[in-house]
PDB file of all heavy atoms in Angstrom:
ATOM      1  N   PHE L 116     -11.119  58.752  36.273  1.00  0.00           N
ATOM      2  CA  PHE L 116      -9.845  58.272  35.748  1.00  0.00           C
ATOM      3  C   PHE L 116      -9.849  56.766  35.515  1.00  0.00           C
ATOM      4  O   PHE L 116      -9.147  56.278  34.626  1.00  0.00           O
ATOM      5  CB  PHE L 116      -8.675  58.714  36.628  1.00  0.00           C
ATOM      6  CG  PHE L 116      -8.088  60.009  36.165  1.00  0.00           C
ATOM      7  CD1 PHE L 116      -8.697  61.206  36.483  1.00  0.00           C
ATOM      8  CD2 PHE L 116      -6.969  60.039  35.361  1.00  0.00           C
ATOM      9  CE1 PHE L 116      -8.190  62.409  36.022  1.00  0.00           C
ATOM     10  CE2 PHE L 116      -6.446  61.225  34.885  1.00  0.00           C
ATOM     11  CZ  PHE L 116      -7.064  62.416  35.218  1.00  0.00           C
ATOM     12  N   ALA L 117     -10.647  56.021  36.253  1.00  0.00           N
ATOM     13  CA  ALA L 117     -10.761  54.588  35.988  1.00  0.00           C
ATOM     14  C   ALA L 117     -11.350  54.388  34.589  1.00  0.00           C
ATOM     15  O   ALA L 117     -10.873  53.554  33.811  1.00  0.00           O
ATOM     16  CB  ALA L 117     -11.625  53.912  37.046  1.00  0.00           C
ATOM     17  N   ALA L 118     -12.365  55.184  34.260  1.00  0.00           N
ATOM     18  CA  ALA L 118     -12.962  55.104  32.925  1.00  0.00           C
ATOM     19  C   ALA L 118     -11.980  55.584  31.857  1.00  0.00           C
ATOM     20  O   ALA L 118     -11.864  54.974  30.790  1.00  0.00           O
ATOM     21  CB  ALA L 118     -14.250  55.933  32.876  1.00  0.00           C
ATOM     22  N   LEU L 119     -11.249  56.665  32.135  1.00  0.00           N
ATOM     23  CA  LEU L 119     -10.241  57.154  31.188  1.00  0.00           C
ATOM     24  C   LEU L 119      -9.170  56.102  30.940  1.00  0.00           C
ATOM     25  O   LEU L 119      -8.743  55.905  29.799  1.00  0.00           O
ATOM     26  CB  LEU L 119      -9.566  58.418  31.723  1.00  0.00           C
ATOM     27  CG  LEU L 119     -10.232  59.743  31.489  1.00  0.00           C
ATOM     28  CD1 LEU L 119      -9.430  60.870  32.150  1.00  0.00           C
ATOM     29  CD2 LEU L 119     -10.401  60.026  30.021  1.00  0.00           C
ATOM     30  N   LEU L 120      -8.750  55.432  31.991  1.00  0.00           N
ATOM     31  CA  LEU L 120      -7.714  54.404  31.853  1.00  0.00           C
ATOM     32  C   LEU L 120      -8.212  53.248  30.988  1.00  0.00           C
ATOM     33  O   LEU L 120      -7.486  52.765  30.118  1.00  0.00           O
ATOM     34  CB  LEU L 120      -7.274  53.903  33.225  1.00  0.00           C
ATOM     35  CG  LEU L 120      -6.124  52.909  33.248  1.00  0.00           C
ATOM     36  CD1 LEU L 120      -4.894  53.469  32.545  1.00  0.00           C
ATOM     37  CD2 LEU L 120      -5.781  52.521  34.675  1.00  0.00           C
ATOM     38  N   ARG L 121      -9.437  52.824  31.205  1.00  0.00           N
ATOM     39  CA  ARG L 121      -9.985  51.744  30.365  1.00  0.00           C
ATOM     40  C   ARG L 121      -9.994  52.165  28.891  1.00  0.00           C
ATOM     41  O   ARG L 121      -9.598  51.404  28.015  1.00  0.00           O
ATOM     42  CB  ARG L 121     -11.394  51.378  30.831  1.00  0.00           C
ATOM     43  CG  ARG L 121     -11.415  50.543  32.103  1.00  0.00           C
ATOM     44  CD  ARG L 121     -12.802  49.991  32.402  1.00  0.00           C
ATOM     45  NE  ARG L 121     -13.806  51.020  32.632  1.00  0.00           N
ATOM     46  CZ  ARG L 121     -14.043  51.623  33.795  1.00  0.00           C
ATOM     47  NH1 ARG L 121     -13.322  51.290  34.864  1.00  0.00           N
ATOM     48  NH2 ARG L 121     -14.976  52.544  33.909  1.00  0.00           N
ATOM     49  N   GLY L 122     -10.444  53.380  28.635  1.00  0.00           N
ATOM     50  CA  GLY L 122     -10.459  53.873  27.257  1.00  0.00           C
ATOM     51  C   GLY L 122      -9.064  54.004  26.687  1.00  0.00           C
ATOM     52  O   GLY L 122      -8.830  53.705  25.503  1.00  0.00           O
ATOM     53  N   THR L 123      -8.128  54.423  27.507  1.00  0.00           N
ATOM     54  CA  THR L 123      -6.744  54.576  27.068  1.00  0.00           C
ATOM     55  C   THR L 123      -6.139  53.232  26.700  1.00  0.00           C
ATOM     56  O   THR L 123      -5.467  53.101  25.685  1.00  0.00           O
ATOM     57  CB  THR L 123      -5.912  55.267  28.165  1.00  0.00           C
ATOM     58  OG1 THR L 123      -6.447  56.571  28.387  1.00  0.00           O
ATOM     59  CG2 THR L 123      -4.451  55.367  27.781  1.00  0.00           C
ATOM     60  N   ILE L 124      -6.398  52.229  27.519  1.00  0.00           N
ATOM     61  CA  ILE L 124      -5.875  50.890  27.229  1.00  0.00           C
ATOM     62  C   ILE L 124      -6.447  50.384  25.905  1.00  0.00           C
ATOM     63  O   ILE L 124      -5.720  49.817  25.082  1.00  0.00           O
ATOM     64  CB  ILE L 124      -6.172  49.925  28.394  1.00  0.00           C
ATOM     65  CG1 ILE L 124      -5.303  50.303  29.598  1.00  0.00           C
ATOM     66  CG2 ILE L 124      -5.931  48.474  27.987  1.00  0.00           C
ATOM     67  CD1 ILE L 124      -5.655  49.587  30.877  1.00  0.00           C
ATOM     68  N   LYS L 125      -7.719  50.632  25.658  1.00  0.00           N
ATOM     69  CA  LYS L 125      -8.324  50.226  24.382  1.00  0.00           C
ATOM     70  C   LYS L 125      -7.651  50.936  23.213  1.00  0.00           C
ATOM     71  O   LYS L 125      -7.401  50.337  22.173  1.00  0.00           O
ATOM     72  CB  LYS L 125      -9.825  50.528  24.390  1.00  0.00           C
ATOM     73  CG  LYS L 125     -10.622  49.589  25.267  1.00  0.00           C
ATOM     74  CD  LYS L 125     -12.094  49.964  25.276  1.00  0.00           C
ATOM     75  CE  LYS L 125     -12.874  49.078  26.226  1.00  0.00           C
ATOM     76  NZ  LYS L 125     -14.288  49.468  26.305  1.00  0.00           N
ATOM     77  N   ARG L 126      -7.333  52.223  23.385  1.00  0.00           N
ATOM     78  CA  ARG L 126      -6.660  52.971  22.313  1.00  0.00           C
ATOM     79  C   ARG L 126      -5.250  52.435  22.068  1.00  0.00           C
ATOM     80  O   ARG L 126      -4.798  52.369  20.922  1.00  0.00           O
ATOM     81  CB  ARG L 126      -6.615  54.464  22.671  1.00  0.00           C
ATOM     82  CG  ARG L 126      -7.988  55.110  22.579  1.00  0.00           C
ATOM     83  CD  ARG L 126      -8.042  56.572  22.982  1.00  0.00           C
ATOM     84  NE  ARG L 126      -6.938  57.366  22.522  1.00  0.00           N
ATOM     85  CZ  ARG L 126      -6.199  58.150  23.313  1.00  0.00           C
ATOM     86  NH1 ARG L 126      -6.452  58.248  24.601  1.00  0.00           N
ATOM     87  NH2 ARG L 126      -5.207  58.852  22.819  1.00  0.00           N
ATOM     88  N   VAL L 127      -4.553  52.050  23.147  1.00  0.00           N
ATOM     89  CA  VAL L 127      -3.212  51.461  22.996  1.00  0.00           C
ATOM     90  C   VAL L 127      -3.330  50.134  22.249  1.00  0.00           C
ATOM     91  O   VAL L 127      -2.589  49.878  21.303  1.00  0.00           O
ATOM     92  CB  VAL L 127      -2.525  51.270  24.368  1.00  0.00           C
ATOM     93  CG1 VAL L 127      -1.277  50.417  24.245  1.00  0.00           C
ATOM     94  CG2 VAL L 127      -2.179  52.624  24.988  1.00  0.00           C
ATOM     95  N   TYR L 128      -4.265  49.283  22.650  1.00  0.00           N
ATOM     96  CA  TYR L 128      -4.456  47.990  21.993  1.00  0.00           C
ATOM     97  C   TYR L 128      -4.800  48.155  20.519  1.00  0.00           C
ATOM     98  O   TYR L 128      -4.372  47.378  19.679  1.00  0.00           O
ATOM     99  CB  TYR L 128      -5.557  47.188  22.674  1.00  0.00           C
ATOM    100  CG  TYR L 128      -5.192  46.599  24.016  1.00  0.00           C
ATOM    101  CD1 TYR L 128      -6.139  45.935  24.770  1.00  0.00           C
ATOM    102  CD2 TYR L 128      -3.913  46.694  24.534  1.00  0.00           C
ATOM    103  CE1 TYR L 128      -5.824  45.390  26.009  1.00  0.00           C
ATOM    104  CE2 TYR L 128      -3.591  46.163  25.765  1.00  0.00           C
ATOM    105  CZ  TYR L 128      -4.552  45.505  26.502  1.00  0.00           C
ATOM    106  OH  TYR L 128      -4.238  44.967  27.716  1.00  0.00           O
ATOM    107  N   ALA L 129      -5.584  49.186  20.209  1.00  0.00           N
ATOM    108  CA  ALA L 129      -5.996  49.418  18.822  1.00  0.00           C
ATOM    109  C   ALA L 129      -4.889  50.055  17.990  1.00  0.00           C
ATOM    110  O   ALA L 129      -5.038  50.216  16.780  1.00  0.00           O
ATOM    111  CB  ALA L 129      -7.238  50.307  18.795  1.00  0.00           C
ATOM    112  N   GLY L 130      -3.787  50.419  18.631  1.00  0.00           N
ATOM    113  CA  GLY L 130      -2.674  51.016  17.900  1.00  0.00           C
ATOM    114  C   GLY L 130      -2.876  52.483  17.594  1.00  0.00           C
ATOM    115  O   GLY L 130      -2.159  53.055  16.774  1.00  0.00           O
ATOM    116  N   LYS L 131      -3.822  53.123  18.253  1.00  0.00           N
ATOM    117  CA  LYS L 131      -4.091  54.540  18.001  1.00  0.00           C
ATOM    118  C   LYS L 131      -3.137  55.454  18.754  1.00  0.00           C
ATOM    119  O   LYS L 131      -2.996  56.625  18.419  1.00  0.00           O
ATOM    120  CB  LYS L 131      -5.540  54.871  18.372  1.00  0.00           C
ATOM    121  CG  LYS L 131      -6.535  54.167  17.486  1.00  0.00           C
ATOM    122  CD  LYS L 131      -7.952  54.501  17.849  1.00  0.00           C
ATOM    123  CE  LYS L 131      -8.908  53.770  16.910  1.00  0.00           C
ATOM    124  NZ  LYS L 131     -10.290  54.003  17.258  1.00  0.00           N
ATOM    125  N   VAL L 132      -2.491  54.921  19.787  1.00  0.00           N
ATOM    126  CA  VAL L 132      -1.568  55.709  20.599  1.00  0.00           C
ATOM    127  C   VAL L 132      -0.568  54.755  21.240  1.00  0.00           C
ATOM    128  O   VAL L 132      -0.889  53.598  21.510  1.00  0.00           O
ATOM    129  CB  VAL L 132      -2.351  56.536  21.663  1.00  0.00           C
ATOM    130  CG1 VAL L 132      -3.008  55.652  22.683  1.00  0.00           C
ATOM    131  CG2 VAL L 132      -1.477  57.561  22.331  1.00  0.00           C
ATOM    132  N   THR L 133       0.652  55.226  21.455  1.00  0.00           N
ATOM    133  CA  THR L 133       1.658  54.397  22.130  1.00  0.00           C
ATOM    134  C   THR L 133       1.443  54.458  23.635  1.00  0.00           C
ATOM    135  O   THR L 133       0.789  55.369  24.153  1.00  0.00           O
ATOM    136  CB  THR L 133       3.086  54.882  21.821  1.00  0.00           C
ATOM    137  OG1 THR L 133       3.255  56.190  22.382  1.00  0.00           O
ATOM    138  CG2 THR L 133       3.373  54.888  20.329  1.00  0.00           C
TER     139      THR L 133
END
Side-chain angles (χ1 to χ4, degrees):
F116 268 80
L119 276 178
L120 185 56
R121 284 190 298 275
T123 298
I124 290 170
K125 287 178 184 177
R126 289 177 41 232
V127 169
Y128 287 175
K131 294 180 179 177
V132 67
T133 65

